[in-house]
Amino acid sequence: MRCPYCATLDKDHVLDSRPIRDGAAIRRRRECEACQGRFTTFEEVEELRLLVIKSNGAREPFQPNKLRRAIELACKKRPVTDEAISLFVEEIERVLYKQAEREVASRALGELVVEKLRQLDTVAYVRFASVYRQFEDAQEFRDLIERLPESEN
């Protein structure tokens, strides 16, 4: 580590280490042995950058906030808390990263969201599925609702 004060390289020691962001990163307080300057560094795992392959073949970085906005819209005026939406988005991210693939088709991502949303709230599920699957008439809504188990209707 290069000292930000005297630019000495690799002549420091760690005074304190603490986990931050629920253990996702470590904050280290260091002291330069050459100038006794103290500074803080942060260490975290380099995350796999996930790309979404759109239906037209374009690739774009996975954007959790974009997914969150779509879920919030589907859950609007539903008894789904902000915390539940956050956990939902984190769960989708976890599933995607567990697959250890650098790219995911938007179709596969959409199907994953639809299936998980069904477990969260059936009305939000129908809303999201109707937009995602581009329903064009009422019959497609009826077909989707009829496929729901009786306890969810």
Side-chain angles (χ1 to χ4, degrees):
M1 188 67 56
R2 183 180 307 274
C3 174
Y5 304 109
C6 68
T8 301
L9 188 61
D10 295 330
K11 296 257 185 196
D12 66 77
H13 59 275
V14 176
L15 300 172
D16 184 41
S17 290
R18 294 178 188 211
I20 58 172
R21 290 185 281 185
D22 293 328
I26 297 176
R27 176 188 178 273
R28 296 192 195 281
R29 193 74 181 130
R30 298 175 180 267
E31 183 176 60
C32 176
E33 295 171 359
C35 71
Q36 282 70 50
R38 292 184 177 192
F39 57 99
T40 302
T41 60
F42 297 91
E43 181 180 320
E44 61 186 345
V45 174
E46 183 177 10
E47 290 187 6
L48 181 69
R49 294 290 169 215
L50 187 63
L51 295 176
V52 177
I53 305 169
K54 307 299 275 185
S55 57
N56 65 2
R59 287 169 166 71
E60 68 177 44
F62 172 69
Q63 299 172 39
N65 288 335
K66 192 174 177 181
L67 175 60
R68 182 181 178 80
R69 283 190 307 271
I71 301 307
E72 286 173 343
L73 190 59
C75 294
K76 192 171 186 167
K77 296 186 180 182
R78 297 294 305 150
V80 179
T81 66
D82 195 48
E83 183 180 346
I85 292 172
S86 293
L87 291 173
F88 181 89
V89 172
E90 287 173 16
E91 174 65 18
I92 296 293
E93 277 189 278
R94 252 191 316 276
V95 169
L96 294 174
Y97 284 115
K98 273 185 181 178
Q99 293 173 354
E101 297 290 326
R102 295 188 65 92
E103 297 180 340
V104 62
S106 61
R107 185 127 192 99
L109 174 58
E111 290 301 326
L112 175 63
V113 171
V114 165
E115 200 49 48
K116 296 277 184 192
L117 197 52
R118 182 178 179 171
Q119 299 164 15
L120 182 66
D121 184 88
T122 55
V123 172
Y125 158 72
V126 171
R127 287 176 179 169
F128 187 88
S130 68
V131 173
Y132 169 70
R133 294 185 178 144
Q134 300 176 343
F135 287 2
E136 294 186 15
D137 59 34
Q139 185 59 45
E140 291 178 278
F141 278 100
R142 275 189 225 105
D143 293 344
L144 180 72
I145 292 169
E146 286 172 2
R147 286 192 302 253
L148 289 174
E150 200 57 40
S151 63
E152 293 181 20
N153 284 336

